[in-house]
């Protein structure tokens, strides 16, 4: 019995990358790549002082991709390059925004534009010690997006 599924634009045939679920229904098991606690200094915020003096930020990225080919080939060209993900974060965080939502959306847009292997991405940007009146360690904006077919 052969089972298959589409992942992005690639057809997967049943093998060790599948999990059996209810009565011969098979799904491809996707890989997850995380790049966590990317530290950046940036100038985001609605207050003039925030954009003038800047703040420290932490960025986390999680991407889902079919890693079957790279697991077999051992080639960087067959996987999601986390050096590229780090570069995207640094470049997009360097562009001032009033809202962190704007910075997160720019990062998501670039990930899907620059890496065709990514099927889903989640980006979280945390502002360390935000100026919101009180002892607050950080505030985080987290957004997810899936590739549009």
């Amino acid at each position: 019995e052969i089972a298959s599924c589409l992942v992005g634009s690639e057809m997967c045939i049943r093998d060790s990358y599948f999990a059996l679920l209810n009565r011969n229904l098979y799904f491809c098991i996707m890989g997850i790549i995380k790049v966590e606690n990317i530290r950046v200094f940036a100038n985001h915020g609605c207050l003039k002082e925030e954009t003038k003096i800047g703040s420290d930020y932490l960025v986390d990225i999680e991407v889902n991709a079919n890693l079957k080919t790279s697991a077999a080939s051992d080639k960087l060209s067959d996987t999601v390059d986390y050096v590229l993900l780090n570069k995207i974060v640094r470049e997009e965080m360097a562009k001032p925004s009033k809202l962190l939502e704007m910075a997160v959306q720019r990062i998501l847009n670039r990930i899907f534009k620059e890496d065709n292997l990514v099927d889903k991405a989640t980006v979280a940007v945390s502002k360390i010690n935000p100026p919101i009146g009180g002892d607050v360690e950080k505030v985080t904006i987290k957004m997810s997006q899936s590739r549009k077919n």
Side-chain angles (χ1 to χ4, degrees):
E1 181 176 335
I2 300 289
S4 64
C5 70
L6 277 174
V7 178
S9 60
E10 181 177 331
M11 179 69 81
C12 298
I13 304 300
R14 189 183 114 190
D15 59 16
S16 61
Y17 292 90
F18 284 88
L20 176 59
L21 297 175
N22 299 345
R23 293 184 242 178
N24 298 326
L25 181 63
Y26 296 91
F27 289 93
C28 290
I29 296 175
M30 301 299 290
I32 297 173
I33 295 176
K34 293 182 180 184
V35 184
E36 299 178 305
N37 291 320
I38 302 169
R39 290 171 190 76
V40 294
F41 186 84
N43 300 77
H44 302 295
C46 292
L47 303 174
K48 272 187 195 175
E49 297 80 21
E50 291 179 292
T51 56
K52 192 172 186 175
I53 63 172
S55 298
D56 291 310
Y57 295 84
L58 291 175
V59 181
D60 295 326
I61 296 179
E62 180 175 306
V63 297
N64 296 61
N66 182 348
L67 302 179
K68 178 182 177 181
T69 302
S70 60
S73 73
D74 200 26
K75 292 180 183 174
L76 180 58
S77 60
D78 291 335
T79 193
V80 177
D81 184 355
Y82 48 82
V83 173
L84 173 65
L85 297 177
N86 184 57
K87 177 182 180 240
I88 290 170
V89 166
R90 294 192 175 285
E91 290 175 358
E92 294 305 324
M93 288 297 289
K95 300 173 187 174
S97 299
K98 290 181 182 174
L99 300 178
L100 293 180
E101 290 90 326
M102 173 66 84
V104 171
Q105 188 61 60
R106 283 196 315 259
I107 293 167
L108 285 166
N109 292 345
R110 288 258 325 258
I111 289 170
F112 286 105
K113 180 181 176 185
E114 296 185 30
D115 197 316
N116 291 326
L117 293 175
V118 175
D119 290 315
K120 181 181 177 188
T122 301
V123 176
V125 173
S126 299
K127 185 173 204 167
I128 309 303
N129 298 320
I132 59 175
D135 186 13
V136 177
E137 180 182 352
K138 63 184 176 180
V139 62
T140 302
I141 302 298
K142 184 176 184 177
M143 296 167 57
S144 296
Q145 186 172 315
S146 296
R147 182 172 298 282
K148 296 174 183 111
N149 292 333

